[in-house]
Amino acid sequence: MERYRVAIIGGGCSGLFLASLLNKEKLDVFIYEKNNKLGKKILASGNGKCNFTNVKQLENKYNNQFANEVIKRFTVDTTLSFFKKYGLVFKSDELGRCYPVSENANSVLDCLKSNLLGCHIKLESVVSKIVKKGKKYSVTINNKEELFDYVVCSSGSAASNLGSYKAYDYLKDLNVKIVELKPSLTPVLIEENIKKLEGIRVKGKVSLIDSKNIVVYEENGEILFKKDALSGIAIFNISSYINRKKDNYKIQLDLSAGMSEKELINYFKNKKEKELFKGFLDDKIGEYIIENIKDKKIENIAQVIKHLNFKVKGMYEIKDAQVCAGGVSLEEINENLELCKYPNVYVAGELLDIDGVSGGYNMQFAWSSAGIIYEDIERKIGGINGEK
């Protein structure tokens, strides 16, 4: 039986999932991971709890419709079936977010590692170059060349302190277009001086509003004030939408606890000025609101509580972000995530110009993209409805 060599560059979500799926009886599968252990980003995801997918896959959760098409082909149900098969017990919450019942990311990683029997795992292995040689590809790993029939680039993005720019370097050598990298799922820098609010957490409705005063995105959640930025999951998700279209945005907070302006006015009207926010809002937030209102009528205070605006200045750096916006242009790949210019070279997961909001969406795209690549390779070697 003819055997084929597969290089999987990166031992994260996409790489390990693909390696788990591939037929090791027909393929010699090599996993090259730059770190000293597999799955470091998996272990860090969801603050170690690992929100590994979301059963509510909604159309607007990604920057490009292509992500939804990939997930329709290799579905959430198919992904969950894989993890069930290898022993993962999981739960989902009201937002559709799935976690292992252990609330420990090791449970997800253990499932992936349990099906790597027969794979060649190479740690502390840095890939620096991919060169086409006839029908095969020469991959340079730690300055040594190896030949492969299939190459899968799945080394993740530059986001977080675990990220790396190495993959973009070797892809650029292949003359692959890289869309500008930007931080996503990150705190949003604002122009206003909120240093006195640093460390305060509040719950409210968060809206992203463009220069035409149109609400681009809104979500209820917790807001964390930093010395120069707004943070929290709702803000992280807003950062994803800021990247999708350049504009002069503002973030609007509604801190009214669901009350209308009229209800707020009635609530405030019998209160003394010094006790206006007592039992309702943090005193420092109340002081900030009062300081930024010229005419301190109760009606104006109520309006600002419902519409507390901050001008977007920028975002934290990529090293502080959970994911990257940008990456390998979708123009470079076909529907099976194969590079158009290089047959049998694939790009998976975070390396592509795909990013989603928080809640398990980015990990699901990583699983699904690996699943599509698995199906394509198996077809080529005759494993799925194929003949060879």
Side-chain angles (χ1 to χ4, degrees):
M1 181 190 297
E2 187 177 0
R3 296 183 66 81
Y4 303 91
R5 287 165 57 88
V6 181
I8 298 175
I9 306 170
C13 289
S14 298
L16 294 181
F17 195 67
L18 174 61
S20 297
L21 293 170
L22 286 171
N23 183 346
K24 269 73 82 176
E25 291 182 5
K26 291 186 177 182
L27 299 166
D28 289 320
V29 179
F30 293 77
I31 303 170
Y32 295 102
E33 168 55 48
K34 69 179 177 64
N35 291 307
N36 60 0
K37 62 174 67 174
L38 298 172
K40 277 195 169 184
K41 272 196 175 182
I42 295 173
L43 295 178
S45 65
N47 292 320
K49 293 182 179 181
C50 197
N51 171 201
F52 70 98
T53 188
N54 196 302
V55 294
K56 296 181 180 179
Q57 288 289 321
L58 303 175
E59 294 289 314
N60 66 341
K61 298 300 183 182
Y62 299 94
N63 68 317
N64 194 291
Q65 178 64 26
F66 181 76
N68 297 303
E69 297 303 320
V70 168
I71 293 166
K72 284 176 184 174
R73 290 173 60 194
F74 195 96
T75 66
V76 175
D77 286 344
T78 305
T79 304
L80 292 176
S81 293
F82 168 89
F83 283 107
K84 283 179 186 175
K85 180 180 178 181
Y86 292 101
L88 184 68
V89 182
F90 57 88
K91 60 184 179 179
S92 61
D93 63 16
E94 69 280 359
L95 297 176
R97 298 175 296 193
C98 293
Y99 299 87
V101 292
S102 65
E103 295 195 345
N104 189 322
N106 269 305
S107 297
V108 174
L109 183 57
D110 288 344
C111 283
L112 294 167
K113 289 166 72 175
S114 70
N115 203 31
L116 297 182
L117 187 66
C119 294
H120 307 273
I121 299 169
K122 307 291 184 179
L123 302 176
E124 297 180 327
S125 297
V126 178
V127 172
S128 56
K129 203 165 190 177
I130 301 171
V131 177
K132 194 173 190 315
K133 288 197 173 180
K135 292 183 178 181
K136 296 181 184 286
Y137 291 91
S138 170
V139 180
T140 303
I141 310 111
N142 293 345
N143 299 316
K144 182 182 176 183
E145 290 185 29
E146 296 275 356
L147 277 179
F148 294 93
D149 300 284
Y150 299 92
V151 179
V152 182
C153 307
S154 59
S155 48
S157 73
S160 85
N161 60 350
L162 297 173
S164 172
Y165 289 89
K166 295 285 185 185
Y168 305 108
D169 292 339
Y170 66 69
L171 285 166
K172 282 178 183 174
D173 287 342
L174 292 174
N175 198 28
V176 171
K177 180 183 176 184
I178 308 293
V179 176
E180 180 187 1
L181 303 177
K182 297 178 183 178
S184 189
L185 302 190
T186 183
V188 177
L189 294 162
I190 58 171
E191 293 186 8
E192 290 78 7
N193 183 356
I194 57 166
K195 194 171 182 180
K196 66 186 296 182
L197 303 181
E198 184 178 1
I200 296 173
R201 295 175 184 269
V202 292
K203 289 190 175 181
K205 184 168 80 172
V206 184
S207 302
L208 179 67
I209 300 173
D210 67 15
S211 56
K212 295 179 181 177
N213 217 33
I214 295 171
V215 176
V216 175
Y217 179 78
E218 60 184 16
E219 180 178 329
N220 291 304
E222 186 177 75
I223 304 107
L224 169 64
F225 290 91
K226 300 177 84 70
K227 66 179 180 180
D228 54 359
L230 300 177
S231 189
I233 290 176
I235 298 296
F236 283 8
N237 290 340
I238 271 178
S239 74
S240 176
Y241 284 85
I242 290 171
N243 280 324
R244 299 180 192 186
K245 184 182 177 184
K246 193 172 182 179
D247 204 339
N248 294 317
Y249 292 107
K250 65 181 177 183
I251 293 174
Q252 188 174 92
L253 306 184
D254 179 350
L255 305 179
S256 67
M259 288 192 274
S260 66
E261 283 188 34
K262 187 176 180 180
E263 288 171 325
L264 284 171
I265 291 166
N266 288 333
Y267 175 79
F268 288 136
K269 69 181 180 183
N270 295 319
K271 284 198 164 195
K272 296 177 182 178
E273 186 176 330
K274 288 185 178 180
E275 297 183 346
L276 204 58
F277 299 101
K278 191 175 181 180
F280 176 63
L281 269 180
D282 185 284
D283 287 342
K284 289 184 179 179
I285 294 177
E287 288 173 13
Y288 177 86
I289 289 170
I290 295 295
E291 287 170 4
N292 286 276
I293 297 175
K294 290 182 180 178
D295 189 348
K296 301 181 186 351
K297 290 180 181 178
I298 287 175
E299 292 81 2
N300 293 338
I301 294 170
Q303 185 182 41
V304 172
I305 289 171
K306 293 285 291 182
H307 308 92
L308 183 57
N309 294 321
F310 298 95
K311 294 178 182 177
V312 172
K313 184 179 180 181
M315 281 179 275
Y316 275 25
E317 295 178 18
I318 284 178
K319 67 180 178 63
D320 302 307
Q322 290 187 10
V323 300
C324 264
V328 175
S329 171
L330 301 182
E331 298 169 4
E332 298 283 356
I333 58 170
N334 63 20
E335 69 276 9
N336 296 317
L337 290 85
E338 182 181 29
L339 288 175
C340 299
K341 291 180 281 195
Y342 297 95
N344 300 336
V345 178
Y346 300 85
V347 185
E350 286 187 73
L351 268 182
L352 289 164
D353 180 22
I354 292 288
D355 66 282
V357 298
S358 62
Y361 295 100
N362 289 291
M363 288 188 85
Q364 182 56 52
F365 179 72
W367 311 131
S368 292
S369 63
I372 296 296
I373 294 169
Y374 150 71
E375 291 174 351
D376 198 52
I377 292 175
E378 290 288 339
R379 271 192 295 268
K380 288 180 178 181
I381 66 170
I384 300 179
N385 299 323
E387 297 179 3
K388 187 84 179 172

